[in-house]
Amino acid sequence: MTNTDSLYRLAAGTLMPGFQGTTAPAWVLSALDEGLASVCIYGPNIASPAQVTELMGALRAAAPQALFTLDEEGGDVTRLHYLTGSNQPGNAVLGRLNDPATTASSAAAIAAELRELGFNLNLAPDADVNSTDTNPVIGVRSFGADAELVARHTVSWVAGLQDAGVAACAKHFPGHGDTSTDSHHTLPTIDVDRQTLTTRELVPFAAAIDGGIASIMTSHIMVPSVDSEHPATFSRAILHDLLRAEMGFEGAIITDALDMAGASAETGIEVAAVRALAAGADLLCLGSETTQERYAGIVEAIVRSVRDGHLSLERLQDAARRTAELAAAYSPSANWPEATEAPGPAIAAAFDVSASARRWIELPQAAEFVTFDSATNLAVGHVPWGPAAVQAHTDIGNISADSKLALIGRGIDEHHGIWKAAADLRRSGREVIVVDCGWPRMKVDLVTFGASRAVAAALVDFLTR
């Protein structure tokens, strides 16, 4: 192998592209043969259980040693169940149940599904402390607003996943919970002093490191108390000085998707890739719509930066080494224990139920559920949610004349259309409750703290018991 070949292979060994379509493109298979470290699967890559089984079989056959990856948080963020909604409750529900064993069981169930298909890295759990109720991108993806509770359940979730043979990745370091903007679209700022950062945002990550987490994901946010010039993904002060030197993390540092506006809107993804590696990242998530041309351009940019002296060869070698060690530690061919079947949690125990909702439940009329369109974020995507995910939705134009009505939304704020509908129906004499399947922003009759298929089934059962 020539030095040039070796350098290109090193660069490929730090990359994790996605791709478009439901079959493995020839360029991805070729890149895997040439040293590509990882491939990330997204919701639009999945068309059916049989198709994803065939897809993963083709990818794993092409690269038995690679990291095959997805975001399977359970709850609202699901890739494996993108077509139906997740069969797991999600972090906010697990945090409210506050039983670490239940949290670990949920993660182990996810690991069993992933490992059967050939995945060995899961970009989860979300370890953010959701300290801002209006956070547009975290919300129910978080275990809660208390740092110690989030830390406790992060550790349990990581153990459940990794003990079953799938590497975990705590995100979004150093903490995305205290933002009111979404880094998919802009560059948020965590404007807290270093003491607050240490005693709130960093607590779950420190616990995860102590618990042996395999990888940690960066966030595209500004944290001026640590680095006033560079977003976390591109900050040596945050990735090396804080995460490596101060917190003692020795695993792989993975970037959030570099095609997000908070990472590359101003510079382009090729520059962002080099900056992330130089700052201390090891595995670069390139995003869901990576093309052959973009991938080749990123590899070339990394190689050129080493030749030009803008990125040291030692840093690139270190990144490729840490990524390869992660893959080796979670080899699908290892003899991992079989997952044990655990009873599902009593999800409804996590609901916040008002007196008005309890009175509504006792009314003798038949219940109908009306789901209102609610904005979501790119992390969630277009996944069936709420009662509609379990075929319990009635269009508002088709409601019965004498039923009681549960109006369902998520992330309901004062401007949400659900309020006018509720007021109009109540004026006409109907019995109505308003249900929020998200993180509550204002007072409603019932909050589920999640919108997954599992939570939706529990909600329908709870309201019709």
Side-chain angles (χ1 to χ4, degrees):
M1 178 182 291
T2 67
N3 288 336
T4 298
D5 291 338
S6 176
L7 195 52
Y8 274 87
R9 199 167 187 89
L10 277 174
T14 68
L15 300 181
M16 182 204 299
F19 60 86
Q20 300 178 59
T22 56
T23 59
W27 73 264
V28 169
L29 299 176
S30 177
L32 286 167
D33 187 53
E34 295 166 359
L36 176 62
S38 179
V39 175
C40 193
I41 300 299
Y42 294 85
N45 298 130
I46 295 177
S48 70
Q51 170 269 330
V52 75
T53 298
E54 183 176 351
L55 169 64
M56 290 305 300
L59 289 170
R60 182 55 73 190
Q65 78 291 349
L67 288 163
F68 290 107
T69 309
L70 76 177
D71 289 276
E72 189 60 41
E73 297 178 13
D76 286 25
V77 175
T78 179
R79 303 295 181 250
L80 199 56
H81 300 283
Y82 195 76
L83 302 177
T84 60
S86 175
N87 56 9
Q88 296 300 319
N91 284 6
V93 169
L94 292 169
R96 285 180 61 81
L97 293 174
N98 201 16
D99 177 14
T102 296
T103 297
S105 293
S106 180
I110 290 172
E113 286 191 287
L114 298 186
R115 195 156 54 84
E116 184 177 357
L117 287 167
F119 291 100
N120 54 343
L121 171 60
N122 187 6
L123 302 178
D126 191 306
D128 298 308
V129 180
N130 197 66
S131 53
T132 297
D133 289 343
T134 57
N135 193 314
V137 68
I138 304 302
V140 298
R141 300 169 66 192
S142 168
F143 289 111
D146 177 80
E148 294 296 337
L149 179 143
V150 174
R152 183 164 59 250
H153 288 278
T154 295
V155 169
S156 295
W157 206 99
V158 168
L161 192 81
Q162 293 190 166
D163 288 350
V166 177
C169 182
K171 58 190 183 185
H172 307 81
F173 187 83
H176 205 317
D178 190 28
T179 65
S180 56
T181 54
D182 183 347
S183 54
H184 289 89
H185 305 294
T186 187
L187 182 61
T189 295
I190 300 289
D191 194 12
V192 299
D193 59 34
R194 185 62 183 269
Q195 175 67 15
T196 301
L197 188 77
T198 300
T199 59
R200 187 178 66 188
E201 273 75 19
L202 297 183
V203 169
F205 294 100
I209 292 168
D210 289 344
I213 192 160
S215 63
I216 288 177
M217 178 179 282
T218 71
S219 58
H220 310 320
I221 60 174
M222 293 296 299
V223 188
S225 62
V226 184
D227 186 337
S228 61
E229 297 183 7
H230 307 99
T233 296
F234 311 116
S235 171
R236 183 170 174 81
I238 291 174
L239 301 190
H240 180 272
D241 299 350
L242 175 58
L243 182 54
R244 290 275 189 229
E246 186 175 329
M247 299 181 71
F249 180 60
E250 291 296 328
I253 298 175
I254 302 175
T255 70
D256 206 347
L258 293 179
D259 64 346
M260 294 165 59
S264 59
E266 294 186 5
T267 66
I269 195 168
E270 294 82 4
V271 172
V274 174
R275 291 176 67 201
L277 285 168
D282 304 308
L283 180 59
L284 312 184
C285 179
L286 305 183
S288 61
E289 297 185 356
T290 310
T291 62
Q292 181 176 6
E293 293 74 22
R294 171 172 283 183
Y295 173 75
I298 293 167
V299 172
E300 185 61 45
I302 294 170
V303 170
R304 186 171 58 249
S305 71
V306 174
R307 289 174 176 160
D308 293 346
H310 295 116
L311 175 67
S312 74
L313 177 60
E314 292 76 17
R315 172 78 274 273
L316 181 60
Q317 290 171 328
D318 178 59
R321 174 185 62 81
R322 291 181 189 273
T323 298
E325 288 176 350
L326 174 61
Y330 287 88
S331 170
S333 62
N335 188 25
W336 297 101
E338 292 297 320
T340 57
E341 196 71 30
I347 291 174
F351 296 169
D352 184 359
V353 186
S354 69
S356 59
R358 295 189 185 280
R359 184 192 69 81
W360 183 95
I361 291 170
E362 298 303 321
L363 294 173
Q365 300 100 306
E368 289 187 294
F369 303 89
V370 181
T371 304
F372 284 73
D373 286 340
S374 298
T376 188
N377 56 66
L378 288 174
V380 173
H382 301 289
V383 177
W385 65 277
V390 291
Q391 293 74 53
H393 163 76
T394 301
D395 290 331
I396 197 163
N398 295 325
I399 56 176
S400 301
D402 55 357
S403 60
K404 56 185 180 180
L405 302 172
L407 308 188
I408 316 293
R410 57 180 173 182
I412 299 172
D413 60 18
E414 60 184 317
H415 305 295
H416 200 288
I418 203 169
W419 295 117
K420 182 180 186 306
D424 290 346
L425 287 163
R426 285 168 177 154
R427 275 195 296 271
S428 70
R430 304 300 295 263
E431 293 287 351
V432 174
I433 58 170
V434 174
V435 179
D436 195 333
C437 288
W439 189 278
R441 301 182 178 191
M442 56 191 306
K443 184 175 176 57
V444 296
D445 299 295
L446 191 153
V447 185
T448 65
F449 292 89
S452 73
R453 175 164 47 93
V455 174
L459 173 65
V460 171
D461 181 67
F462 181 75
L463 292 181
T464 56
R465 60 189 181 184

